[in-house]
Amino acid sequence: MKVVVFILIFCFGQCLIAQNSFLAKQYFDDGDFDKAVVFYEKLVQENPRRTDYHTSLIRCYQQLERYDDAEKIIIKKLEEPNSHPVYYIELGHNYTLQDKESEATKNYDLAYSYVEKNPNNAYGIGHRFQEHSLLKYASKTYTRAMELNPQLDFNFQLARIYGEQGDIEKMFTSYIRLVTKDNKKLPTVIRSLDDFISSDAQAKNNIKLKRILLKEAQNNPNLVWNELLSWLFMQQKQFNSAFNQEKAIYKRSEDTNPNRLQVLGKLALEEGEKETAKDIFSYIAQNSVVSSVNLDAQLQILDIDLELSNNKKLDEVQKSYEALLETYGYQTNSLQLQIAYANFLTFKKETPKPAIDILKKSLNLPLNKYGKAYVKMALGDILVYDKKFNEALIYFSQIQKDLKNDVLGQNARYKVAQVSFYKGDFNWALSQLKVLRSSTSQLIANDAMQLSLLISDNSLQDSTQTALKKYAIADLLAYQNKNTEAITALGDILKNHKGEKIEDEALLKQGELLEKQKRYEEAELNYQKIVEFYGDGILADNAHYALGNLYNSELLNPEKAKYHYERIIYSYQDSYYFPLARKEFRKLRGDTIN
């Protein structure tokens, strides 16, 4: 019975301490030091070994300018056996708050002297110096400790300190020393360097880092320098220079996985560096021993060739596809080739029938449910192109059923709605879109919202849905890559349904198609009309973002681009384009983007 009573009393006491600790911290964080000090005094009395309570009580006294009370506690801690030298720093700081600099310096020096006695004290002492922004003392502490014991590594702490002091070169050097000792720290170092490096190759920090890395590479050959140089060149969008570093890494590395080269190639492609991207993928195709990687590289090359020739090498590319099929055959591991070739035949050569035959043949392979879903999705898309809507709906519905909670299943549901829209079955399309508006994929949810609003808004105003049916036809033409015909069909809507709700939708769609045809000034005019006449409409943010990109990438007017990105930032915070616009705006302003 006594044991039970003791346990109950102990548990009650622990709960009371926890409650007091919580209240003390709450008052402290709120800046209510008069109340916090009462709790911390009690906690220190009841828990004399808890250094965190002592430290918090000292902070409370200092905030209340009760420096004598703070000093009493600090001295009491220093008089204890084996007291930690950080309390000399606390005493020094207490003197600093009273403008007693000579007394403060004496105690700071006393704390530092303990590093000479035992360099293992450096972490606690250096960290406490940092807490009080005594950066010179902190850097001196860490540096001396590493001199006394080379096994210690405080380069990360030193780099942070030099960064705060604005000594960028020393900061870079400390980070370099860190990875020299431990290559596994490279990702951490890159994250830290990212805050100081920009996309401008001529920026001072970029030049300093490049010079340090090149010097290290000459003095101490190590793959880590190639990796850091490659990263730096990628930040500066110098993809060819990054490629040279990646080739060196690939040749010297024991790992034959060309994953780094693949990432670089795709990044170069995204940034419009098609020739460099082609060189990278050609190198992968020539050197990779992994069949799937080799195939992916060759497919990338074919896509780039088509883009570079402006789709004028169709027959030549088709022969390349046929040669690849001869090599890889109809196998489960060449599924990406079969789908890519089918898409090429349909959307580039405008011959959907052989493409449908290829994919139906692929469905006979021993595929798992995801493999079948990918083939069915591609097959459904081609059947839509061929206006075989009912058959396409069967395949999309099968995917939706087999992968109900998967993003692929949600995408299939969206395609069901899209096909229903093309067919003019607007009510069924709306019922599918209603479910998708809460999709886990933000892109699918956004697309579903846009199409849903297009249908509902234009059904209310026009019960015959004449303009909406015309728009569906134009949208299908755009889907089929028949852009000129789609632009003409949208022009008919803009001419004969002027002032109706569908006008801004037609302007936006036509603008996007005009951009594809590189008719940039005409596209600009379309977007400007949306901004001017439909500034309060649901597509205003789309138009601002489209104008921002157009001025940024094609019309080369960064000031106008900044204006339109800024409009989204300040006026459309809920927009899907908000984070994208903010990122582009910061790039144009010259900020460092992580």
Side-chain angles (χ1 to χ4, degrees):
M1 185 66 181
K2 287 181 180 179
V3 174
V4 174
V5 172
F6 174 77
I7 291 170
L8 288 171
I9 292 170
F10 176 78
C11 291
F12 178 76
Q14 290 301 309
C15 289
L16 194 61
I17 289 169
Q19 185 181 12
N20 287 341
S21 179
F22 173 79
L23 288 169
K25 188 176 185 309
Q26 189 71 50
Y27 286 129
F28 187 92
D29 291 343
D30 291 343
D32 197 344
F33 300 109
D34 283 312
K35 290 180 180 176
V37 77
V38 174
F39 285 98
Y40 277 123
E41 282 175 341
K42 193 173 182 181
L43 287 164
V44 164
Q45 190 178 357
E46 293 171 351
N47 304 272
R49 294 184 180 179
R50 286 284 296 266
T51 57
D52 55 333
Y53 290 155
H54 283 85
T55 301
S56 295
L57 181 57
I58 292 165
R59 299 282 183 273
C60 284
Y61 283 146
Q62 289 169 342
Q63 289 291 337
L64 296 168
E65 298 184 7
R66 292 169 59 180
Y67 302 119
D68 290 342
D69 290 329
E71 185 174 339
K72 284 175 188 175
I73 292 180
I74 297 167
I75 289 172
K76 188 177 177 182
K77 292 299 290 181
L78 284 168
E79 288 173 348
E80 290 179 358
N82 302 315
S83 66
H84 201 287
V86 295
Y87 285 103
Y88 286 112
I89 300 172
E90 290 299 334
L91 188 57
H93 179 62
N94 203 54
Y95 286 129
T96 295
L97 293 173
Q98 301 171 73
D99 295 324
K100 297 178 180 179
E101 288 305 327
S102 60
E103 290 293 317
T105 302
K106 185 170 73 175
N107 281 281
Y108 295 148
D109 289 340
L110 197 53
Y112 171 74
S113 70
Y114 277 80
V115 178
E116 297 284 351
K117 294 174 185 176
N118 183 358
N120 292 324
N121 286 322
Y123 179 79
I125 293 170
H127 183 69
R128 193 60 61 95
F129 276 134
Q130 280 183 270
E131 278 187 350
H132 292 303
S133 299
L134 298 162
L135 300 182
K136 286 185 180 178
Y137 272 105
S139 61
K140 187 167 73 166
T141 297
Y142 293 134
T143 303
R144 183 58 180 154
M146 288 195 294
E147 288 171 358
L148 292 168
N149 182 359
Q151 298 301 313
L152 295 172
D153 188 354
F154 295 114
N155 280 298
F156 189 75
Q157 289 86 344
L158 282 169
R160 288 290 180 91
I161 291 168
Y162 294 139
E164 286 183 54
Q165 291 175 323
D167 194 335
I168 304 301
E169 191 145 354
K170 274 190 174 182
M171 181 195 73
F172 285 158
T173 302
S174 292
Y175 280 132
I176 297 307
R177 284 176 184 156
L178 186 65
V179 292
T180 304
K181 288 188 175 183
D182 185 359
N183 286 5
K184 291 176 184 176
K185 296 284 176 65
L186 183 60
T188 304
V189 167
I190 284 175
R191 282 195 298 273
S192 301
L193 291 173
D194 209 23
D195 292 329
F196 297 88
I197 295 299
S198 73
S199 58
D200 180 7
Q202 299 307 311
K204 288 181 181 178
N205 289 353
N206 292 48
I207 292 170
K208 284 177 183 175
L209 181 60
K210 182 182 173 183
R211 187 177 66 244
I212 292 169
L213 290 172
L214 288 172
K215 186 178 177 182
E216 290 290 342
Q218 289 170 356
N219 296 336
N220 175 26
N222 191 320
L223 285 180
V224 74
W225 313 129
N226 299 99
E227 289 184 44
L228 279 166
L229 281 165
S230 176
W231 172 80
L232 178 61
F233 291 134
M234 279 192 269
Q235 305 313 299
Q236 296 170 174
K237 302 192 190 306
Q238 296 173 321
F239 298 108
N240 200 48
S241 298
F243 180 36
N244 290 332
Q245 297 300 323
E246 291 298 333
K247 279 192 287 188
I249 293 166
Y250 187 75
K251 287 174 182 175
R252 292 169 56 195
S253 175
E254 294 177 5
D255 186 4
T256 56
N257 188 341
N259 180 57
R260 292 177 60 93
L261 283 160
Q262 285 179 298
V263 170
L264 178 61
K266 287 171 185 176
L267 185 60
L269 199 54
E270 284 173 16
E271 293 293 337
E273 297 285 338
K274 293 169 189 171
E275 293 284 2
T276 303
K278 184 179 176 181
D279 290 342
I280 295 167
F281 288 119
S282 297
Y283 182 83
I284 295 170
Q286 290 163 14
N287 292 277
S288 173
V289 294
V290 181
S291 176
S292 59
V293 171
N294 194 297
L295 176 56
D296 179 71
Q298 292 185 76
L299 292 176
Q300 293 281 3
I301 293 165
L302 290 180
D303 283 342
I304 294 168
D305 280 341
L306 275 174
E307 285 193 53
L308 290 174
S309 69
N310 202 18
N311 292 331
K312 290 177 181 174
K313 288 186 176 180
L314 294 177
D315 291 337
E316 197 175 312
V317 169
Q318 184 170 356
K319 286 176 183 174
S320 297
Y321 270 117
E322 288 167 354
L324 287 174
L325 270 174
E326 283 282 324
T327 303
Y328 291 93
Y330 282 87
Q331 305 292 330
T332 53
N333 57 7
S334 67
L335 207 57
Q336 64 183 126
L337 167 60
Q338 295 152 49
I339 292 172
Y341 185 37
N343 284 329
F344 167 79
L345 289 172
T346 303
F347 295 99
K348 299 297 182 185
K349 292 284 285 184
E350 299 181 3
T351 54
K353 191 179 182 310
I356 292 167
D357 293 339
I358 287 169
L359 294 183
K360 284 186 174 178
K361 185 177 177 182
S362 300
L363 278 176
N364 293 322
L365 294 169
L367 303 171
N368 61 28
K369 64 179 181 179
Y370 285 99
K372 282 187 178 179
Y374 282 116
V375 176
K376 287 178 180 179
M377 192 77 84
L379 181 53
D381 287 340
I382 291 167
L383 288 165
V384 172
Y385 177 96
D386 206 25
K387 295 186 181 179
K388 294 178 178 176
F389 299 132
N390 291 334
E391 194 177 349
L393 284 170
I394 291 169
Y395 286 112
F396 292 143
S397 298
Q398 286 173 355
I399 299 167
Q400 188 183 322
K401 183 182 175 183
D402 293 341
L403 300 169
K404 200 170 189 178
N405 298 316
D406 194 272
V407 173
L408 204 58
Q410 292 171 7
N411 193 25
R413 185 187 283 272
Y414 178 76
K415 287 181 181 290
V416 167
Q418 198 176 37
V419 173
S420 301
F421 176 68
Y422 293 150
K423 287 177 67 181
D425 191 351
F426 301 130
N427 289 332
W428 180 243
L430 275 175
S431 69
Q432 299 298 305
L433 294 166
K434 187 182 284 186
V435 178
L436 288 169
R437 284 164 69 166
S438 57
S439 169
T440 51
S441 164
Q442 191 180 356
L443 184 59
I444 293 173
N446 187 64
D447 288 345
M449 177 73 76
Q450 296 276 17
L451 186 53
S452 177
L453 290 170
L454 168 68
I455 296 169
S456 55
D457 285 356
N458 290 286
S459 297
L460 287 171
Q461 191 180 42
D462 179 10
S463 59
T464 63
Q465 299 174 322
T466 306
L468 190 59
K469 288 172 183 173
K470 286 183 179 180
Y471 185 91
I473 291 167
D475 201 21
L476 178 60
L477 287 167
Y479 177 87
Q480 293 171 314
N481 267 349
K482 297 173 181 177
N483 293 336
T484 302
E485 294 95 319
I487 289 168
T488 303
L490 291 163
D492 173 65
I493 295 171
L494 293 170
K495 181 182 176 182
N496 296 306
H497 298 272
K498 196 170 184 63
E500 294 182 23
K501 269 191 171 291
I502 205 158
E503 186 177 10
D504 59 340
E505 294 279 0
L507 283 167
L508 183 68
K509 188 70 180 179
Q510 192 184 59
E512 291 167 352
L513 296 172
L514 288 166
E515 271 197 79
K516 283 187 176 180
Q517 294 192 337
K518 300 187 178 180
R519 294 156 65 179
Y520 300 123
E521 286 77 11
E522 292 175 71
E524 176 192 13
L525 184 61
N526 273 38
Y527 299 142
Q528 285 174 340
K529 284 178 181 177
I530 298 170
V531 169
E532 185 176 350
F533 299 114
Y534 295 93
D536 297 327
I538 59 169
L539 296 181
D541 57 328
N542 300 60
H544 278 297
Y545 188 69
L547 280 167
N549 287 348
L550 196 58
Y551 288 128
N552 193 19
S553 303
E554 306 300 342
L555 300 179
L556 305 180
N557 192 329
E559 288 306 311
K560 282 189 175 181
K562 276 167 68 177
Y563 167 78
H564 288 286
Y565 290 139
E566 196 171 27
R567 284 298 306 276
I568 295 172
I569 294 166
Y570 289 110
S571 302
Y572 305 94
Q573 285 92 346
D574 294 333
S575 169
Y576 170 79
Y577 298 104
F578 175 80
L580 304 171
R582 183 174 56 184
K583 184 178 179 181
E584 294 304 322
F585 177 78
R586 290 180 61 204
K587 278 185 188 176
L588 288 170
R589 197 171 60 180
D591 296 354
T592 300
I593 307 297
N594 293 339

